Amino acid sequence: MQTLNIRVNGEMHELSVDVRTTLLDALRQHLQLNGTKKGCDHGQCGACTILINGKRINSCLTLAVMHDGDEITTIEGLGSSDNLSPMQQAFVKHDGFQCGYCTPGQICSATAMLDEIKEGWPSYVSVSLVDAPELTSDEIAERMSGNLCRCSAYPNIVDAIIEAGDKS
């Protein structure tokens, strides 16, 4: 067992975990933060996407002990039912979910994706490597390609991201 200190959704936690525990399992089993979903457990679906120090990551692919001292944000930390984040509001408005299983990962990923675009990070489909990328459907599709939706709500997800991006 190893002890680690992490800040999750603004609150400090000291956890004692087996060194083999994934961050996803630590969040779900030790902190009862069940918004982050376990989909494929192989980093292929994006249902477990969270933010670590503001950057998106598949929490099923990283060990909890690797994040001692890190700032972690899960879907529960982006907003609440009384105070939704702009991305959460846009997902509701545009019906960017069907069954909802992938939605927490989609929203966390989309939130971080908008920050990447603001920071000028190019993607494979960006027109220029030096000019700021534009928030186009192709850019969104490329950047969100690691987040799968089995219900195929993709057009609504893209609309939600565009709206949230326009407001930020």
Side-chain angles (χ1 to χ4, degrees):
M1 299 296 267
Q2 185 166 334
T3 301
L4 70 142
N5 293 290
I6 54 176
R7 181 177 300 279
V8 181
N9 301 328
E11 186 177 324
M12 281 302 297
H13 295 275
E14 182 177 285
L15 301 177
S16 181
V17 297
D18 183 296
V19 295
R20 299 167 293 178
T21 302
T22 65
L23 184 54
L24 172 62
D25 289 337
L27 293 169
R28 292 180 57 84
Q29 296 170 7
H30 293 264
L31 298 177
Q32 285 69 53
L33 293 171
N34 296 318
T36 305
K37 303 300 185 213
K38 183 179 276 202
C40 67
D41 217 17
H42 295 286
Q44 297 174 344
C45 72
C48 68
T49 305
I50 60 169
L51 308 178
I52 297 181
N53 302 323
K55 307 299 180 208
R56 57 187 165 160
I57 188 169
N58 290 345
S59 60
C60 74
L61 292 180
T62 189
L63 298 174
V65 295
M66 296 169 63
H67 298 286
D68 190 37
D70 283 346
E71 175 74 35
I72 297 168
T73 306
T74 67
I75 190 67
E76 293 92 346
L78 289 181
S80 66
S81 58
D82 297 338
N83 187 24
L84 297 175
S85 74
M87 187 66 70
Q88 290 169 319
Q89 290 174 20
F91 264 68
V92 170
K93 178 180 176 183
H94 291 279
D95 196 24
F97 52 89
Q98 303 251 330
C99 77
Y101 196 84
C102 72
T103 306
Q106 295 274 0
I107 290 173
C108 285
S109 189
T111 299
M113 182 206 70
L114 290 181
D115 290 340
E116 293 167 7
I117 288 177
K118 282 183 196 172
E119 292 175 20
W121 293 12
S123 77
Y124 179 74
V125 299
S126 296
V127 176
S128 169
L129 295 178
V130 293
D131 296 328
E134 294 182 34
L135 189 60
T136 64
S137 295
D138 286 343
E139 195 72 46
I140 292 168
E142 171 64 21
R143 291 174 186 263
M144 294 294 292
S145 63
N147 291 85
L148 303 179
C149 174
R150 291 181 180 166
C151 301
S152 296
Y154 296 117
N156 300 356
I157 291 169
V158 170
D159 291 344
I161 294 170
I162 288 172
E163 178 170 312
D166 289 343
K167 289 182 178 179
S168 62

